[in-house]
């Protein structure tokens, strides 16, 4: 049995989910690798970077490190999974890992949206994979769908609900009349929100994700400053009730399309009709609606945040990386 050693950067909501899935589903994953590649391979987490070791007493101290260079200097570690979040030092760590010929898997949409071009170039230069299925719409396999399954299509437009926290808050306010602050607190407790939840409710998180989808669909990175961004912080219970009376619902939508050679993208709360395909996507669910020239219209729905659903997408990237090792 070949062993592929992996380092996790971060052991929070997502990192904890990745560790649990790799342990619990070891046999299933090995079987799937064998069916796909004809190889007997096991994936093994050999180091985990954290900053507060005292928080992780249940984890074997042999696995833990607070020193990133320990991971860089270990030639046997072939894949680095960045699930610590934040722009820095995460971006720098991913660049260092790829310069050391380690493949990188990440869920960090902030780092990708801000430094995607650089990260992609460094990956190409070093002939390593840079994969980020978990960074957009949680468990929905939207990145692989656009990159692989829809290769024969011009994508003309994408719209969707791509932030779990805000969809959870709006759903709670709409269906249970929960106060905004209480709904946000619940979303944080459930592990859906970013470390700074302002990134969710002011729209930045969805903006990063629609920037990534724009790049994949239209071939270029949009300037983040050109994306119209309005969060949900000013949505009042009254507005939600008024929308209901008109037979509508308020949803936090992200949109992108290319018109006259320019990417036009936005994130904003919108009133939509109850028969709209996104009207009943509730809670922390996400949905992505693609308009393609050959395939037509496609709608994907699934958990947009949370430990196991996000980790499922991270593990799918690990599965893809194996072919390169
Ligand atoms: P958490 O805050 O739950 O976990 C972060 C982990 O990273 C902790 O173990 C923390 O260790 C470690 N960490 C953070 N900074 C450092 C540092 N400088 N050095 C060493 N370790 C560090 O975050 P999440 O798991 O929620 O999110 C991780 C990433 O996944 C983010 O990019 C997020 O945007 C993305 N994501 C999250 C989703 C979710 O549902 N939560 C869904 C999709 C993507 P310590 O505790 O010791 O500080
Ligand atoms: N905070 C993010 C969300 C996590 O709520 O959608 C998933 O990217």
């Amino acid at each position: 049995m070949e062993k592929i050693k992996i380092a996790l950067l971060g052991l929070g909501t997502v990192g904890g989910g990745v560790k649990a899935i790799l342990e619990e589903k070891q046999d299933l994953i090995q079987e799937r690798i064998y069916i796909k590649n004809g190889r007997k391979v096991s994936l093994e987490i050999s180091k985990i970077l954290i900053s507060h070791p005292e928080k992780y007493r249940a984890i074997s101290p042999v696995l833990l490190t607070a020193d990133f260079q320990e991971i860089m200097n270990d030639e046997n570690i072939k894949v680095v999974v960045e699930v610590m979040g934040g722009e820095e030092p995460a971006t720098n760590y991913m660049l260092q890992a790829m310069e050391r010929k380690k493949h990188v898997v990440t869920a960090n949409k902030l780092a990708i949206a801000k430094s995607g071009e650089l990260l992609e170039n460094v990956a190409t230069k070093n002939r390593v994979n840079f994969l980020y299925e978990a960074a957009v719409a949680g468990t929905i396999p939207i990145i692989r769908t656009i990159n692989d399954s829809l290769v024969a299509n011009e994508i003309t437009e994408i719209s969707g609900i791509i932030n779990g926290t805000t969809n959870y808050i709006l759903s709670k306010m709409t269906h249970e009349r929960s106060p905004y602050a209480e709904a946000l607190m619940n979303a944080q407790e459930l592990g859906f929100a970013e470390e700074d939840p302002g990134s969710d409710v002011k729209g930045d998180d969805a903006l990063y994700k629609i920037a990534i989808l724009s790049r994949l669909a239209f071939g270029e990175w949009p300037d983040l400053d050109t994306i119209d961004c309005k969060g949900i912080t000013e949505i009042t219970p009254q507005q939600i009730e008024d929308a209901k009376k008109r037979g509508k619902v308020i949803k936090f939508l992200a949109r992108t399309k290319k018109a006259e050679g320019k990417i036009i993208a936005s994130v904003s709360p919108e009133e939509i009709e109850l028969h709209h395909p996104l009207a009943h996507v509730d809670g922390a669910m996400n949905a992505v609606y693609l308009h393609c020239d050959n395939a037509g219209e496609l709608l994907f729905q699934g958990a947009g945040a949370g430990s196991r659903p996000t980790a499922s997408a991270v593990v799918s990237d690990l599965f893809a990386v194996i072919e390169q090792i």
Side-chain angles (χ1 to χ4, degrees):
M1 176 79 70
E2 263 179 273
K3 270 191 188 158
I4 294 182
K5 295 200 180 217
I6 296 162
L8 285 186
L9 312 185
L11 191 64
T13 304
V14 182
V18 172
K19 184 169 181 298
I21 289 179
L22 288 180
E23 285 165 3
E24 290 166 20
K25 301 283 184 198
Q26 206 180 94
D27 291 347
L28 176 72
I29 293 168
Q30 281 173 16
E31 192 183 307
R32 295 264 168 91
I33 294 171
Y34 187 71
I35 290 170
K36 179 139 192 260
N37 300 327
R39 286 163 64 194
K40 293 194 172 167
V41 175
S42 76
L43 299 172
E44 184 186 289
I45 295 172
S46 63
K47 269 297 162 215
I48 304 172
L49 183 78
I50 37 76
S51 54
H52 299 93
E54 69 284 359
K55 279 168 53 183
Y56 302 92
R57 292 195 207 285
I59 308 295
S60 161
V62 180
L63 280 180
L64 298 177
T65 182
D67 177 10
F68 177 65
Q69 291 313 318
E70 206 183 311
I71 292 167
M72 285 304 89
N73 294 333
D74 186 339
E75 295 277 317
N76 293 319
I77 293 176
K78 303 293 184 204
V79 191
V80 169
V81 177
E82 187 279 303
V83 280
M84 54 193 271
E87 189 173 2
E88 292 298 352
T91 306
N92 185 271
Y93 286 178
M94 290 193 277
L95 292 169
Q96 283 192 52
M98 292 192 287
E99 294 287 8
R100 295 283 191 111
K101 315 287 182 209
K102 297 181 195 299
H103 301 277
V104 167
V105 170
T106 182
N108 191 335
K109 50 270 163 154
L110 161 66
I112 303 165
K114 295 237 170 156
S115 305
E117 201 167 346
L118 175 63
L119 288 158
E120 284 175 348
N121 289 343
V122 171
T124 306
K125 185 183 89 180
N126 290 288
R127 295 170 191 265
V128 291
N129 278 178
F130 173 62
L131 300 178
Y132 45 85
E133 185 62 75
V136 180
T139 209
I140 302 174
I142 197 65
I143 309 273
R144 207 155 279 121
T145 298
I146 294 175
N147 283 345
D148 298 346
S149 312
L150 295 174
V151 67
N153 288 266
E154 297 269 358
I155 296 173
T156 50
E157 202 176 329
I158 303 177
S159 56
I161 295 170
I162 53 175
N163 180 271
T165 301
T166 45
N167 198 37
Y168 179 88
I169 294 171
L170 290 178
S171 302
K172 282 276 201 186
M173 290 173 76
T174 304
H175 302 301
E176 298 172 31
R177 292 195 165 87
S178 298
Y180 171 90
E182 184 187 304
L184 171 58
M185 204 174 67
N186 289 162
Q188 288 178 286
E189 284 163 359
L190 291 164
F192 302 151
E194 296 302 301
E195 191 185 9
D196 167 13
S199 175
D200 294 293
V201 296
K202 290 182 197 159
D204 298 332
D205 180 81
L207 183 151
Y208 302 143
K209 291 167 177 167
I210 202 70
I212 295 169
L213 291 179
S214 303
R215 190 274 182 275
L216 299 176
F218 308 128
E220 61 190 273
W221 286 101
D223 179 348
L224 298 184
D225 294 333
T226 64
I227 301 177
D228 281 341
C229 179
K230 190 163 185 277
I232 65 157
T233 49
E234 283 164 26
I235 299 292
T236 62
Q238 191 58 52
Q239 284 173 308
I240 289 174
E241 291 309 312
D242 290 348
K244 272 189 206 167
K245 281 182 202 143
R246 288 192 289 273
K248 293 186 175 185
V249 63
I250 298 179
K251 289 288 182 192
F252 185 48
L253 299 190
R255 297 180 179 277
T256 187
K257 64 181 178 184
K258 202 165 180 182
E260 292 167 9
K262 276 173 60 181
I263 292 173
I264 301 174
S266 64
V267 295
S268 174
E270 291 183 31
E271 268 189 25
I272 56 175
E273 305 280 348
L274 287 179
H275 58 73
H276 188 286
L278 301 176
H280 301 286
V281 176
D282 283 328
M285 297 297 273
N286 279 190
V288 183
Y289 199 12
L290 297 176
H291 303 250
C292 307
D293 59 354
N294 290 316
E297 294 183 3
L298 297 97
L299 179 62
F300 298 84
Q301 181 172 336
S307 181
R308 295 292 179 121
T310 309
S312 163
V314 172
V315 173
S316 80
D317 280 343
L318 287 173
F319 188 78
V321 155
I322 290 163
E323 291 189 35
Q324 310 301 320
I325 297 174

